[in-house]
Amino acid sequence: MKSPYPIVGVVAVGCAFLVGLQLSGYFAPAAVAKFIASSAFVTLAVRQGALDSWYGRLILSGLCLSWCGDLLLVGRSETFFLAGLVAFLLAHVAYSVAFVRHGVGRVALVATAVPIAVVALLVWSWLEPQTPADLSLPVRAYIAVISLMVIFAYGTRGVGGSWWIPAGASLFFLSDLSVAALRLAGTDYPTYALGLPAYYAAQVCLALSVSQSRSH
């Protein structure tokens, strides 16, 4: 298997340019940087053997859906935001199915479910007053699905799953909070400066996890 580090480096450099260009207001070049960084994490999964197992193929499906979501979120309208939300929602479903396919431990699931459910309720109580009525149901569904994804991710540790899996899921959860803060809560702070590195780190972790789960 070829070393993952060159492609991980492409993701890191692309993400750095993406953040820097967005902070500087150069949105068209930033979109190019996003395309490069996102295409790189899909390539990384393939090179790590994603096509050799059901787990890998499901993770690859989630990465490809995330790639679509990334491009859709380049748009500034509510329509593009909603379409991107659906793409990422489906990506989280694909990841959840991958984790269940991998195998999960009941004790690990129960131990994770309670704190994650509390966090999910707190997130919704924060977002609800600022969420448009037509986005209320999609946002609630999104919070539920990503919370389940994180629970299943930690559940894989109960059967010896790689730490890449819960690390990727947790970072993805944090990156989604940054998007919610920017698009829904309307914070003045450019949360993507932290959220985008967390997002790309999450995708890299999940892509790397396929090399250690090729028997599933």
Side-chain angles (χ1 to χ4, degrees):
M1 185 178 299
K2 296 181 179 180
S3 171
Y5 299 115
I7 302 181
V8 173
V10 172
V11 176
V13 172
C15 177
F17 271 97
L18 171 58
V19 172
L21 289 166
Q22 285 198 181
L23 287 171
S24 302
Y26 297 108
F27 297 112
V32 175
K34 175 181 279 192
F35 173 79
I36 292 171
S38 298
S39 298
F41 64 58
V42 174
T43 303
L44 176 63
V46 173
R47 288 171 65 92
Q48 291 298 294
L51 298 175
D52 298 335
S53 68
W54 269 107
Y55 173 83
R57 288 190 287 272
L58 287 165
I59 290 294
L60 182 60
S61 297
L63 292 171
C64 289
L65 285 163
S66 296
W67 182 90
C68 292
D70 286 333
L71 297 190
L72 287 167
L73 289 184
V74 170
R76 297 283 170 173
S77 70
E78 187 174 294
T79 300
F80 278 107
F81 176 71
L82 186 57
L85 194 72
V86 171
F88 281 115
L89 179 70
L90 293 174
H92 292 315
V93 171
Y95 291 145
S96 296
V97 175
F99 302 152
V100 173
R101 172 78 189 194
H102 174 283
V104 295
R106 292 183 179 179
V107 174
L109 280 178
V110 173
T112 308
V114 174
I116 294 300
V118 171
V119 171
L121 289 172
L122 291 173
V123 169
W124 174 241
S125 66
W126 166 52
L127 292 176
E128 182 181 18
Q130 304 156 92
T131 301
D134 58 335
L135 289 179
S136 179
L137 182 59
V139 170
R140 278 186 287 177
Y142 193 94
I143 292 172
V145 170
I146 192 171
S147 299
L148 283 172
M149 184 200 71
V150 175
I151 292 169
F152 289 138
Y154 279 91
T156 64
R157 290 293 301 156
V159 292
S162 167
W163 272 110
W164 288 123
I165 298 173
S170 299
L171 286 166
F172 212 150
F173 191 97
L174 292 174
S175 73
D176 280 340
L177 285 181
S178 77
V179 175
L182 189 64
R183 292 296 185 100
L184 297 176
T187 178
D188 292 330
Y189 179 78
T191 55
Y192 58 79
L194 299 175
L196 284 171
Y199 168 75
Y200 282 103
Q203 302 290 39
V204 165
C205 287
L206 293 173
L208 291 174
S209 75
V210 305
S211 66
Q212 299 183 21
S213 306
R214 298 176 72 180
S215 61
H216 297 279

